[in-house]
Amino acid sequence: MGTKIIPVSVTTRKSLSKKQRAIEVLARLKRLYPDATCSLNYSTPVQLLVATILSAQCTDERVNKVTPALFARFPDAESLAIADLVELESLVRSTGFYRNKAKNIQAACRMIVTEFNSVVPNQMQQLLKLPGVARKTANVVLAHAYGINAGVTVDTHVKRLSERLGLTEAKDPVRIEQDLMSLLPQPDWENWSIRLIYHGRAICKARSPVCVACELADLCPAANKPVVVG
């Protein structure tokens, strides 16, 4: 059985600093989702990179349905770099924005082959040089392929929940990431994101958050307030 979560009063919540609330939210997320891990299926760093690119504006579940056939046909950077682009587009079509994704995947793999000796780089600045790779994708690859917590992955769930929890007022993902990095211990940067994503899927949904069942509600300034979806 897990440790019982003792709610705090509104007065106590308001007396806590933003960092104290963030640490308490983190502790509860760890208890609620102890086995949370990356939902994407992959075997190598390049496969994780490709899967993460495909996950933009697409569910991990859908990506995991696409990648078995994709990786069976093109398992590594070398094969993706020389793949027929029309075939590549066909294989990733159901993930949405497939033409742009296929183009970026191929361009990224060509750069990996020519500039990085066919090895996905393990440094943020090098990853950001790859087509289709911004900090979100780079953070996922660094954390799960190389065990490097270089930042906080900010997807739509992390953005929404961090704002609702009053941990950031920023709208830009880079600013949100900076705010969260200042509040959380570095070893927890990536598992914060994963656990917050799990909570966003299960409880704190965009249009209908289930505040009555939320074990973070007493720490959340937005709990039980009307949801505005813009």
Side-chain angles (χ1 to χ4, degrees), residues 82-230:
I82 60 173
D84 177 79
L85 188 57
V86 174
E87 182 181 3
L88 187 55
E89 289 176 352
S90 177
L91 286 166
V92 304
R93 178 185 293 268
S94 66
T95 66
F97 305 96
Y98 65 93
R99 288 193 176 92
N100 194 49
K101 289 181 181 180
K103 178 183 176 182
N104 283 334
I105 288 168
Q106 184 159 77
C109 287
R110 285 175 176 170
M111 184 176 288
I112 290 168
V113 171
T114 59
E115 296 191 23
F116 299 107
N117 198 30
S118 298
V119 177
V120 176
N122 63 358
Q123 297 179 27
M124 176 65 73
Q125 292 309 312
Q126 291 178 334
L127 281 167
L128 293 178
K129 293 179 181 178
L130 300 176
V133 175
R135 285 192 62 92
K136 171 190 166 185
T137 297
N139 280 326
V140 171
V141 172
L142 288 172
H144 298 287
Y146 296 117
I148 299 170
N149 284 302
V152 177
T153 300
V154 178
D155 77 341
T156 54
H157 293 292
V158 175
K159 179 179 183 294
R160 180 178 72 254
L161 271 67
S162 296
E163 182 177 358
R164 285 180 177 172
L165 287 163
L167 302 179
T168 182
E169 295 179 1
K171 303 298 182 184
D172 174 66
V174 174
R175 291 289 304 279
I176 294 171
E177 181 184 7
Q178 291 171 348
D179 287 344
L180 295 174
M181 287 167 67
S182 72
L183 298 173
L184 300 163
Q186 184 171 357
D188 291 302
W189 283 352
E190 183 60 21
N191 69 39
W192 162 271
S193 297
I194 292 176
R195 290 184 168 102
L196 213 58
I197 289 168
Y198 273 54
H199 196 67
R201 290 171 177 164
I203 300 293
C204 194
K205 301 176 183 181
R207 295 182 180 275
S208 54
V210 190
C211 297
V212 67
C214 181
E215 296 195 52
L216 306 179
D218 57 309
L219 296 168
C220 180
N224 300 307
K225 293 183 179 179
V227 174
V228 177
V229 180

